[in-house]
Amino acid sequence: PTPRSVWQNMSNAIVQSTSHSKNGLLFAGWNQDQGCFACGMENGFRIYNCDPLKEKERQDFSDGGLAYVEMLFRCNYLALVGGGPRPKYPPNKVVIWDDLKKEHVAELEFSSPVRAVKLRRDRIVVVLDNTISIYNFTRNPQELHQINTAHNPRGLCVLCPNSNNSLLAFPGMDTGHVNTVDLADMQKPPVDIAAHEASLSCIALNLQGTRIATASEKGTLIRVYDTATHIQLLELRRGAANALIYCINFNQDSTLLCVSSDHGTIHIFASEDPQRNRQSRYLLYGIFIMCMCSKSGWRSVTRSSVAHQICL
């Protein structure tokens, strides 16, 4: 099948699942190796395999929805946060769900709403408005560290999935700065990168954790830094007009960078060979866009059922 048909089928599968259960889609996100994706619904969650495309798991809840579903690769544990018109769990609580036992096995409660959750095999990272809490991933999670951040209502935070790299990136205390820490050595102070003058709107790590890409609320420039040397490698211009950047993502080998915004456009940049870049864009007449860069190019599909674009 063509790239377009693959992604059309994926989108149709989500929409059919949603309409069949008569509920709305609240969240969509990949697992760490981008081989699966999870959907948070107004009455549960769905897990899909990408290649071949099929629904792997469906969990319906009669008493509420989920605004956040974080997978841990392909294992049976997920992190859930309630949301939608009738949240399944309070929005200030993270529930660790065991999908084999079909029950929650741990929960973490906070004094403010949870903005995001990131998982590694040994860590749970919970993002709040002004702090990030780091726990060990056990039956009884214990808080190991707490990090203060700038006001972060978007829940900006990325955790490297590579088993040899425990890098965590998040907004620093200074406007437009991004900080990185090594979860394997929290004795070291955070590395501070002065990425932008305006507040951050998006940050992304490549799968290896060697590159970090950032955008500010202006949304005109994407900057890429080396996480080891903290040197700026690239400055990519998305456009001249301000835009809200929804998502940035590297492809598997970090040769391409994908950026989506509220302008209804997706930009694909060559991150290893900037000479290939030109002033072009893909204009997509829809609201919901899932896009994955790959060695062979880009893939996209449009839908009108979700409030903003997701670039994956």
Side-chain angles (χ1 to χ4, degrees):
T2 65
R4 178 173 292 277
S5 67
V6 169
W7 285 96
Q8 187 70 53
N9 289 340
M10 183 178 292
S11 181
N12 287 341
I14 298 173
V15 172
Q16 288 168 8
S17 172
T18 301
S19 59
H20 175 73
S21 300
K22 296 183 179 179
N23 56 55
L25 179 64
L26 302 176
F27 171 87
W30 293 120
N31 71 338
Q32 287 82 356
D33 63 12
Q34 298 184 344
C36 297
F37 64 96
C39 297
M41 319 295 291
E42 287 185 359
N43 72 338
F45 64 83
R46 313 283 185 267
I47 304 295
Y48 294 89
N49 187 73
C50 294
D51 188 16
L53 173 65
K54 65 177 181 177
E55 184 180 282
K56 295 288 289 182
E57 185 57 43
R58 171 193 291 254
Q59 181 64 51
D60 291 323
F61 296 130
S62 61
D63 53 349
L66 301 171
Y68 206 98
V69 181
E70 174 76 355
M71 298 180 67
L72 179 60
F73 293 93
R74 293 172 181 264
C75 84
N76 52 302
Y77 291 112
L78 301 97
L80 308 178
V81 179
R86 294 185 308 124
K88 165 69 175 174
Y89 307 110
N92 65 326
K93 181 181 289 189
V94 175
V95 169
I96 303 301
W97 176 267
D98 185 333
D99 204 49
L100 287 180
K101 296 181 178 180
K102 301 297 181 182
E103 64 183 19
H104 73 267
V105 294
E107 60 181 52
L108 302 168
E109 191 166 355
F110 302 90
S111 58
S112 62
V114 174
R115 301 305 184 186
V117 185
K118 305 297 177 183
L119 297 180
R120 282 176 62 93
R121 299 189 195 280
D122 59 346
R123 294 290 184 268
I124 302 171
V125 177
V126 181
V127 184
L128 307 178
D129 280 333
N130 296 287
T131 59
I132 293 175
S133 293
I134 301 165
Y135 294 80
N136 57 355
F137 202 149
T138 62
R139 179 75 61 168
N140 253 333
Q142 301 297 313
E143 187 177 56
L144 304 176
H145 308 283
Q146 190 174 96
I147 302 170
N148 293 324
T149 70
H151 188 55
N152 187 18
R154 292 190 178 96
L156 300 182
C157 178
V158 284
L159 179 59
C160 179
N162 193 305
S163 59
N164 298 316
N165 192 336
S166 304
L167 198 68
L168 179 72
F170 51 90
M173 293 296 290
D174 295 326
T175 301
H177 288 220
V178 61
N179 283 184
T180 62
V181 295
D182 183 356
L183 295 186
D185 187 5
M186 290 296 291
Q187 299 303 315
K188 291 182 180 178
V191 171
D192 184 78
I193 299 173
H196 301 271
E197 293 183 0
S199 296
L200 297 174
S201 68
C202 196
I203 55 179
L205 283 169
N206 65 351
L207 291 179
Q208 300 76 24
T210 58
R211 302 284 185 271
I212 185 168
T214 66
S216 76
E217 289 181 342
K218 290 183 178 179
T220 54
L221 297 174
I222 312 299
R223 294 189 173 120
V224 180
Y225 296 86
D226 186 300
T227 58
T229 64
H230 321 131
I231 293 173
Q232 181 178 309
L233 302 176
L234 290 170
E235 183 176 274
L236 306 167
R237 178 165 289 279
R238 186 211 56 80
N242 289 0
L244 175 60
I245 302 300
Y246 286 136
C247 186
I248 303 173
N249 209 355
F250 292 90
N251 68 333
Q252 295 276 333
D253 60 5
S254 305
T255 56
L256 298 173
L257 188 71
C258 178
V259 180
S260 71
S261 75
D262 65 346
H263 283 204
T265 59
I266 286 181
H267 293 251
I268 310 295
F269 297 97
S271 56
E272 292 295 324
D273 184 10
Q275 305 258 344
R276 294 170 55 198
N277 292 324
R278 63 182 186 272
Q279 291 294 323
S280 65
R281 67 185 180 182
Y282 300 101
L283 181 60
L284 298 166
Y285 297 97
I287 303 175
F288 176 51
I289 300 169
M290 297 183 73
C291 177
M292 174 185 283
C293 301
S294 70
K295 289 184 179 179
S296 60
W298 64 277
R299 306 167 183 182
S300 65
V301 66
T302 63
R303 280 289 164 191
S304 59
S305 57
V306 177
H308 57 256
Q309 300 169 347
I310 305 171
C311 175
L312 300 170

